[in-house]
Amino acid sequence: MAGETVLVVGGAGYIGSHTCLDLANKGYKPVVFDNFSNGHREFVKWGPAEEGDIRDRARLDKVLAKHKPAAILHFAALIEVGESVKDPVSFYENNVIGTLTLLSAAQAAGINAFVFSSTCATYGLPQSVPLDETHRQVPINPYGRTKYIVEQALADYDQYKSLRSVVLRYFNAAGADFEGRIGEWHQPETHAIPLAIDAALGRRQGFKVFGSDYETRDGTCVRDYIHVLDLADAHVRAVEYLLKGGESVALNLGTGTGTTVKELLGAIEDVSNRPFPVEYIGRREGDSHTLVANNDKARDVLGWVPQYDLSEIIRSAWNWHARSNQH
């Protein structure tokens, strides 16, 4: 399958750009399609870029006709849960209407291999841990609902339109390219690891922990942190799976190992050797106390096994944030 062109929609963003790196390393030609509202032109390093919005059908048609990709990887989404509550309309317009427009363009171009960036937020509050793909899907915010709606649409496209897809439900993406060429760069930043690293670097006053009285081993929330390069590897495997005729499937992407917030902060202090102020405040509405993946199905279907542990996640993130000046 190497040598094929793959359209990476949202390829200038965090996970999309690392996937372009992995695609190029494995002999594919990644073509980035991005409106650069959240992505970064500096992250387009491994193939051509086409500027455009997924809601612009004419632009999509033109790009697909020009590059003739064998598959589409779709990362272009609004992702901040808090913003989705404040402005649900934008999330439905981009994440749902934009994706349906992209799917229509893909079908018109004869492309029937589609990999969708989804989220464990489609599960809502966990009924059991670790979560597997049979867990009920009852999202509790507009962000999760927009991703779930697209998952339902993809199931219908598969059944009635023969468009095959792999839905990848991420847990907590983290880390960076080990060479420091690209990394996590959100504006504003809301993710725990970059916020804590910025506190260790003196770029912010300290780090706030939401809730210290959960029924966990140290009272703080437990999360499953997965290295962005492991995520990228799963996406490339998903493309290969579909191009070889694989059937539509939804898969969790996580390590299966939970880390508490206190453990995470301790690991960041160990790597940085820089203590920083930590403030414990009240719980945040809608937070689950534990989110950990059962990743057996991804292993069975894609042969995917995460390669990097928490220390490697933090070391690569520290390298990126300490060296980069995009703050």
Side-chain angles (χ1 to χ4, degrees), residues 23-71:
L23 283 164
N25 284 342
K26 292 172 180 171
Y28 292 87
K29 179 186 176 183
V31 175
V32 170
F33 184 89
D34 206 298
N35 66 5
F36 298 104
S37 61
N38 292 310
H40 310 287
R41 295 179 195 277
E42 301 94 319
F43 283 9
V44 182
K45 298 175 181 285
W46 295 281
E50 297 283 357
E51 187 164 359
D53 192 286
I54 54 173
R55 293 165 290 187
D56 185 344
R57 175 63 189 275
R59 180 67 181 140
L60 286 167
D61 288 343
K62 186 175 181 179
V63 169
L64 291 171
K66 177 180 176 181
H67 293 283
K68 298 180 173 56

Side-chain angles (χ1 to χ4, degrees), residues 144-210:
R145 276 190 286 275
T146 60
K147 291 287 191 174
Y148 180 48
I149 289 167
V150 172
E151 287 196 19
Q152 292 175 299
L154 286 170
D156 283 338
Y157 275 69
D158 173 57
Q159 183 171 352
Y160 303 112
K161 290 292 190 178
S162 300
L163 188 148
R164 291 172 300 110
S165 61
V166 175
V167 169
L168 297 174
R169 298 175 187 148
Y170 310 164
F171 281 66
N172 286 62
D177 163 45
F178 285 96
E179 294 183 30
R181 294 166 290 185
I182 52 177
E184 191 164 7
W185 178 15
H186 298 117
Q187 294 172 318
E189 185 57 73
T190 61
H191 294 175
I193 290 176
L195 289 176
I197 287 174
D198 275 354
L201 288 166
R203 292 172 176 163
R204 60 177 58 245
Q205 291 298 310
F207 185 88
K208 291 182 179 178
V209 176
F210 296 98

Side-chain angles (χ1 to χ4, degrees), residues 251-269:
L251 304 170
N252 286 339
L253 296 183
T255 64
T257 299
T259 302
T260 70
V261 178
K262 279 186 181 178
E263 290 166 349
L264 179 71
L265 298 179
I268 290 170
E269 283 200 8

Side-chain angles (χ1 to χ4, degrees), residues 14 18 173-177 182-184 193 226-228 312-314 316-317:
Y14 175 40
H18 285 83
D177 163 45
I182 52 177
E184 191 164 7
I193 290 176
I226 178 76
H227 200 290
V228 66
E312 290 167 306
I313 286 172
I314 293 170
S316 63

Side-chain angles (χ1 to χ4, degrees), residues 77-290:
L78 300 178
I79 63 169
E80 296 300 339
V81 170
E83 283 301 309
S84 79
V85 174
K86 296 176 188 174
D87 182 17
V89 173
S90 292
F91 278 71
Y92 280 90
E93 287 179 346
N94 186 88
N95 296 3
V96 177
I97 295 172
T99 302
L100 295 178
T101 304
L102 175 62
L103 287 168
S104 294
Q107 286 220 289
I111 300 163
N112 70 345
F114 192 90
V115 179
F116 178 57
S117 166
S118 193
T119 170
C120 65
T122 64
Y123 293 124
L125 298 174
Q127 304 298 298
S128 59
V129 177
L131 289 88
D132 66 20
E133 292 82 358
T134 65
H135 189 284
R136 69 175 194 175
Q137 290 180 282
V138 188
I140 60 172
N141 52 62
Y143 165 64
R145 276 190 286 275
T146 60
K147 291 287 191 174
Y148 180 48
I149 289 167
V150 172
E151 287 196 19
Q152 292 175 299
L154 286 170
D156 283 338
Y157 275 69
D158 173 57
Q159 183 171 352
Y160 303 112
K161 290 292 190 178
S162 300
L163 188 148
R164 291 172 300 110
S165 61
V166 175
V167 169
L168 297 174
R169 298 175 187 148
Y170 310 164
F171 281 66
N172 286 62
D177 163 45
F178 285 96
E179 294 183 30
R181 294 166 290 185
I182 52 177
E184 191 164 7
W185 178 15
H186 298 117
Q187 294 172 318
E189 185 57 73
T190 61
H191 294 175
I193 290 176
L195 289 176
I197 287 174
D198 275 354
L201 288 166
R203 292 172 176 163
R204 60 177 58 245
Q205 291 298 310
F207 185 88
K208 291 182 179 178
V209 176
F210 296 98
S212 58
D213 58 350
Y214 287 100
E215 292 182 10
T216 61
R217 54 185 172 266
D218 62 22
T220 62
C221 289
V222 175
R223 294 293 181 265
D224 186 338
Y225 294 96
I226 178 76
H227 200 290
V228 66
L229 291 177
D230 281 326
L231 291 179
D233 175 54
H235 285 78
V236 180
R237 288 172 182 266
V239 168
E240 292 171 342
Y241 165 82
L242 290 172
L243 294 181
K244 290 175 181 174
E247 297 179 352
S248 293
V249 66
L251 304 170
N252 286 339
L253 296 183
T255 64
T257 299
T259 302
T260 70
V261 178
K262 279 186 181 178
E263 290 166 349
L264 179 71
L265 298 179
I268 290 170
E269 283 200 8
D270 288 344
V271 169
S272 67
N273 199 27
R274 298 191 188 187
F276 51 92
V278 176
E279 180 184 1
Y280 290 88
I281 59 177
R283 296 184 183 190
R284 186 168 51 186
E285 185 180 357
D287 271 351
S288 299
H289 64 78
T290 303

